Amino acid sequence: MNTLSSAQHSASGSVLTLTWSDGHSARFHAFWIRDNAQEPHTRAPGNRQRLITLADVPVDCRITHTRHTDHGVDLTLAPEDITLHFDQQWLRDHCYDNSHTRAPGWLDETTVETWDGRLGPKLHTANHAAIQQDYYALLALLASVRRYGVARIEGGPVESGALLEIADLFGFVRETNYGKWFEVRTEVSPTNLAYTGLGLQAHTDNPYRDPVPTLQILYCLENSATGGESTVVDGFEAARKLRDEHPTEFACLSQHCARFEYAGESGVSLRTRKPMIELAPDGELIAVRFNNRSTAPLIDIPFESMPAYYTAYRRFADLIDDPSLALSFKLEPGESFIVDNTRVLHARRGYTGSGSRHLQGCYADRDGLLSTLETLERTL
């Protein structure tokens, strides 16, 4: 573990400079230090929520005394004349004195890894019973969803509603107009093309919702039809390939909003306006929305830019359809898979009328999965 080797404040008291034994150095502003005080009178001991508002931080806040210890640093701040203690590892983990210039489309590669069709051997497959009984097995499953956006589960019961047991392990089902779960099988008068035997292009689900469901579970109850294989594609990998090979087209899809809509059943009319490739203000790649079936007329692109937008749209679609980016598998009864619906697109190959194919699907939210995962990581 790197230890704190020096701590000193500037002559004005406005900046604290820390240096660790590995040579890493970082600066912190006095007002930031005061706002993030860890003492019981500023942070609730149980839930660690902040007990002060920004108005409680003096505008002329400054450091008057600095003392570095074996465990961290003690700071005295004026004009309140209070002494605060900070753990050295907490300060190291919360450094913000670094370069914030990153190429658009960047990802936190400590937790996210993009992939193509060669993922196969690395695709995590968990056992249904194990993830319910063994916290380590559950941790491995959730970590795979965080890293790759997808994971499989085998050995589950072949019974209606069994997919809810999976969602209950890390969060809550997100109920929609489709119900707590929905049936994916051939219907005579389908309200959605998912309920036919047609092949489906790789897509993210429900881009017409705001917020979009961030996780989807698909669970197989029967799959004796010829065809009907499931396919997954890493939308982040497709987006980054577009960025690297055609940066202007990447910028086009990330800077203009597309529109999505669904009104396939009585009493339902869903619309949203979001980019197909969504970036955070600092350029982080945070979501992909792609669903040709639900794309509404595009009217938010200037007339002069529409040809370029459609060129970019077509190029992105070609990447999504590229077989080298796709991973395919056929689910057997009792098998399921989870996808991060903000990232991983899923598809289905067409199937014939002989035999039958019956899956159930439900939605959940990624924040519950990440919360459970981080709790398990700290505990285990």
Side-chain angles (χ1 to χ4, degrees), residues 129-199:
I131 59 176
Q132 296 189 353
Q133 301 167 6
D134 183 351
Y135 285 132
Y136 287 97
L138 178 60
L139 185 153
L141 171 71
L142 304 185
S144 179
V145 177
R146 179 177 63 185
R147 176 161 294 279
Y148 302 112
V150 61
R152 289 182 63 179
I153 303 165
E154 63 183 8
V158 184
E159 58 186 44
S160 180
L163 74 173
L164 301 185
E165 297 178 5
I166 299 172
D168 287 344
L169 291 171
F170 59 79
F172 305 92
V173 169
R174 177 168 168 188
E175 191 167 355
T176 69
N177 57 293
Y178 301 121
K180 285 188 176 180
W181 75 78
F182 49 90
E183 312 291 337
V184 184
R185 59 185 170 190
T186 303
E187 294 182 357
V188 176
S189 300
T191 59
N192 193 301
L193 288 178
Y195 307 154
T196 71
L198 297 174

Side-chain angles (χ1 to χ4, degrees), residues 184-186 194 222-225 227-230 331 347-349 351 355-359:
V184 184
R185 59 185 170 190
T186 303
E222 189 173 359
N223 202 1
S224 58
E229 290 86 353
S230 298
L331 291 177
R348 179 188 70 208
R349 293 180 181 170
Y351 58 96
S356 60
R357 184 181 189 270
H358 181 195
L359 273 63

Side-chain angles (χ1 to χ4, degrees), residues 30-43:
F31 59 79
W32 186 94
I33 288 288
R34 180 65 184 93
D35 186 42
N36 288 282
Q38 302 294 298
E39 272 61 31
H41 63 279
T42 57
R43 292 275 178 173

Side-chain angles (χ1 to χ4, degrees), residues 62-235:
R62 62 192 184 280
I63 303 166
T64 59
H65 181 72
T66 301
R67 185 174 71 91
H68 118 245
T69 70
D70 291 340
H71 303 290
V73 60
D74 294 327
L75 304 167
T76 302
L77 277 71
E80 298 171 280
D81 193 28
I82 59 171
T83 298
L84 307 175
H85 174 78
F86 283 87
D87 176 78
Q88 60 177 338
Q89 191 59 48
W90 188 94
L91 289 167
R92 180 68 178 256
D93 291 342
H94 293 84
C95 289
Y96 60 92
D97 183 16
N98 47 53
S99 173
H100 291 272
T101 303
R102 287 175 279 198
W106 67 270
L107 293 166
D108 180 1
E109 296 183 356
T110 62
T111 58
V112 176
E113 182 179 339
T114 60
W115 50 269
D116 57 22
R118 295 170 294 183
L119 175 68
K122 296 170 69 174
L123 177 63
H124 183 76
T125 301
N127 177 269
H128 186 92
I131 59 176
Q132 296 189 353
Q133 301 167 6
D134 183 351
Y135 285 132
Y136 287 97
L138 178 60
L139 185 153
L141 171 71
L142 304 185
S144 179
V145 177
R146 179 177 63 185
R147 176 161 294 279
Y148 302 112
V150 61
R152 289 182 63 179
I153 303 165
E154 63 183 8
V158 184
E159 58 186 44
S160 180
L163 74 173
L164 301 185
E165 297 178 5
I166 299 172
D168 287 344
L169 291 171
F170 59 79
F172 305 92
V173 169
R174 177 168 168 188
E175 191 167 355
T176 69
N177 57 293
Y178 301 121
K180 285 188 176 180
W181 75 78
F182 49 90
E183 312 291 337
V184 184
R185 59 185 170 190
T186 303
E187 294 182 357
V188 176
S189 300
T191 59
N192 193 301
L193 288 178
Y195 307 154
T196 71
L198 297 174
L200 298 176
Q201 184 185 30
H203 61 281
T204 58
D205 260 30
N206 291 206
Y208 39 76
R209 295 187 193 277
D210 188 10
V212 68
T214 48
L215 291 176
Q216 181 174 186
I217 301 170
L218 284 167
Y219 196 105
C220 180
L221 297 178
E222 189 173 359
N223 202 1
S224 58
T226 301
E229 290 86 353
S230 298
T231 298
V232 288
V233 176
D234 187 359

Side-chain angles (χ1 to χ4, degrees), residues 16 45 68 168 208 233 238 244 300 329 377:
L16 170 71
H68 118 245
D168 287 344
Y208 39 76
V233 176
D244 295 344
D300 297 285
F329 48 85
E377 288 176 331

